[in-house]
Amino acid sequence: MERSSSVLVVGGTGYLGKRFVRASLTAGHRTYVLHRPEIGMDIDKAQMLLSHKKEGAILVHGSFGDHQSLVDAVRNADVVICPISGVHHRSHEILLQLKLVDAIKEAGNVKRFIPSEFGSDPLYNMQHCTNPAKVAFEDKMAVRKAIEEAGIPFTYILGNCTMGYFVSGLCQPGTLFPSRDSVCLHGDGNVKAIFVEEDDVAAYTIKCVDDPRTLNTTLVIRPPENTLSQREVVGMYIGKELKKTSISKEGLLASMRDQPLAIQVGMGHYDNVFHDGCLCLELENQHLEATELYPEIQYTRVQEYLKAFV
Amino acid sequence: MERSSSVLVVGGTGYLGKRFVRASLTAGHRTYVLHRPEIGMDIDKAQMLLSHKKEGAILVHGSFGDHQSLVDAVRNADVVICPISGVHHRSHEILLQLKLVDAIKEAGNVKRFIPSEFGSDPLYNMQHCTNPAKVAFEDKMAVRKAIEEAGIPFTYILGNCTMGYFVSGLCQPGTLFPSRDSVCLHGDGNVKAIFVEEDDVAAYTIKCVDDPRTLNTTLVIRPPENTLSQREVVGMYIGKELKKTSISKEGLLASMRDQPLAIQVGMGHYDNVFHDGCLCLELENQHLEATELYPEIQYTRVQEYLKAFV
C-alpha cells in the first residue's frame, strides 16, 4: 500500500470544511489546516482550529491577502481541498480560490486540487439556471477554467443537495426545521432530487484523494436510495399525513423579488432543483459515481436522517 | 438522594450555553433547551440544537417576542439557566432577560434562576469601571434588580476571565492566538487576574443548581492556581522568553477612541482587569467560592490550557 497523502484543507472551520478535516484525519492522512488571520475574534473558529490541532491536524498560517503565505502553505501538501463557503447567505468566497490556483501553480508540488463545488453541476446550471442564482455556477466555472489553464490536476465533486439545508426543512426554502403539521410542495412535489449527508460528502471526497480513477474528472455523489422527490421525503418524515399546500414555479420566482440577493440566489437553487429538475439528468459519460466507486461507505439514508427531528 | 432537577437552558447554542447543556445532561438532569425561531437559517445553531437533542436534551419552542411561549417553556423547569450572550462584539442580549423574568414570575414554578453573568462583579464594576464598558455591568444589575423585585430565587455566578478570551491571546485584546515571539504587557504585567476555563464555568454552575448553600447568593469561581498576573501567564506559555513591550492605562484608553462601541466595551474590560485590578479584591462576606464548595471538580490550570497552542 502506498503511503497516505498529505492533505491541506482550506476553509477548515466552515460548515463542510470541519468535516473534511475530520475525515482526512480519520483516513490517516497527514492533514494540514490553513489558519487564516482573517478569523480575527471569531472564537468559535479559533477553538475549532484548536480542536482540529488536538485531533492531530497541523495548523499552517496563510492569508488570501498574502500570496507567498499561500505558496508556503500549499508546499506542504500533495492534495489541496478547498471547501470554502459558496453559499451566498453565509458567504460566497468562490472566486478567492483564483488566488489559491496561482499559489498552487507557483508551488508546483500539488498532485490534486479539489476546489469548492459539492453542489449541483455548474457546467449545466450556468446555462440553464435563472438569474441571479446562475452567478454561483459561473464563479465555480471560472475557478475550473483557471485550474485547467494552469495545468493543475483536479477532481470536481458534485454533492448535490446537502441534507442539512434541504432535508431538514422538507425541501422548503427559509426553514431548517420541519413543521409537524404542514408542508408546501414545489408544484406537485414529484420532481426527483438527490440528497447527501454532509459527513458523507466528506467521506467520499477523502476516499478519492489518492484514487487515480478520479483524477482530472468529475465525481458525482448519487446515493440511489436518496434519489427522491420532495413528496417522497415528506412521506418519510413522520407517521402522519401533513397538510399540503403548493407553490408554482411562477409563484416561487415572484416571491423572490424584493428579497436580498443572497436569498434570491438560494431560492433560485430551489427553483433549479425542484421545479426545473436539474438533478434528474443522466450522468454524463465522463462522470464517475461515488457510491459505485466506493460501495464500502455506508451512506446515510434520508429516512434515517429525518429521525433526528422526531 | 433527591431526584435530579429539571433544567431549562436559554441560549443553549451559544459559546457558554452549549457547555451548560452538556454539563446538565452529564449531571443527569432532565434538560430542556429553548429553541428560538430567531435562529432562522443559522445552520450551525440548528445543528447544535439537534446535537443537544441527540444527547438527550428536550427542545422546547419559545421566543422572546412571545411572552406566553416563554411562560410555557419555563413551566417545564425547576431551574432556569440563561447564559445568553452579553459580550458586545458577539451580541449583547442581557436586557432581553427582563422578558424571561416576567415569564418566570408568571409561571411561578421556578425554584432558581441563574441569569447571564459569568464574568466579573457587576455590583463593584458598575461603580468603578470606565465608560462605555460600564454598560455591560449596569445591564446585568438591571436584571438582578428585576429578579429580586419579582421575588425569584436566584444564584449569581462570577466566572471572572474565561480562558478562551483571555488566556488564548496572553491577555492582549484583539487576538485569540498567542504570538511565539512577542507580547504586550499591561503596565508592568503584575496585576493579578483570575482565569477559568469555560467547561469549568459550566461544571461549577451545574453543581450549584440544587445546592441549598448557593440559593439567593453569589458564587465566585476563583481557582487558586489560576489567580495569576499577565506576566505569570506569559511565563507559562512556552519555554522561551518572549520579547516584551508595554502599554499604559492611558495608552490603552487612547487606543480605544474611534473604535466601534463593541470594541471599546471589550477593551474597557481589559483596562478594568489588568490596569485597575478589579479581580484583586477580597471576597465579600456573603459570597461563596466555587472551588472551596466543590473541591471534587478538577479544574483546568492555565499552564495546561496553554499547551493547546504549542
Side-chain angles (χ1 to χ4, degrees), chain A residues 15 18-19 35 39-44 46-47 50 53 89-90 164-165 174-177 305 308-310, chain B residues 15 18-19 35 39-44 46-47 50 53 89-90 164-165 174-177 305 308-310:
Chain A
Y15 179 64
K18 63 189 175 196
R19 304 169 204 263
H35 176 176
I39 66 169
M41 292 301 288
D42 187 329
I43 200 160
D44 295 320
Q47 297 200 339
L50 290 174
K53 182 169 180 292
H89 86 273
R90 280 170 78 96
Y165 278 113
T175 178
L176 295 172
F177 276 84
Y305 189 82
F309 296 91
V310 179
Chain B
Y15 179 64
K18 63 189 176 195
R19 304 169 203 263
H35 176 177
I39 66 167
M41 293 300 288
D42 186 329
I43 200 161
D44 295 320
Q47 298 201 340
L50 289 174
K53 182 170 180 292
H89 87 273
R90 279 170 81 96
Y165 278 113
T175 179
L176 295 172
F177 276 84
Y305 189 83
F309 296 91
V310 179

Side-chain angles (χ1 to χ4, degrees), chain B residues 106-133:
Chain B
E106 181 172 331
N109 56 287
V110 172
K111 299 190 184 69
R112 186 174 328 212
F113 178 38
I114 302 180
S116 189
E117 295 249 351
F118 312 115
S120 55
D121 187 355
L123 184 57
Y124 175 84
N125 283 309
M126 76 180 294
Q127 296 157 358
H128 295 89
C129 170
T130 53
N131 275 319

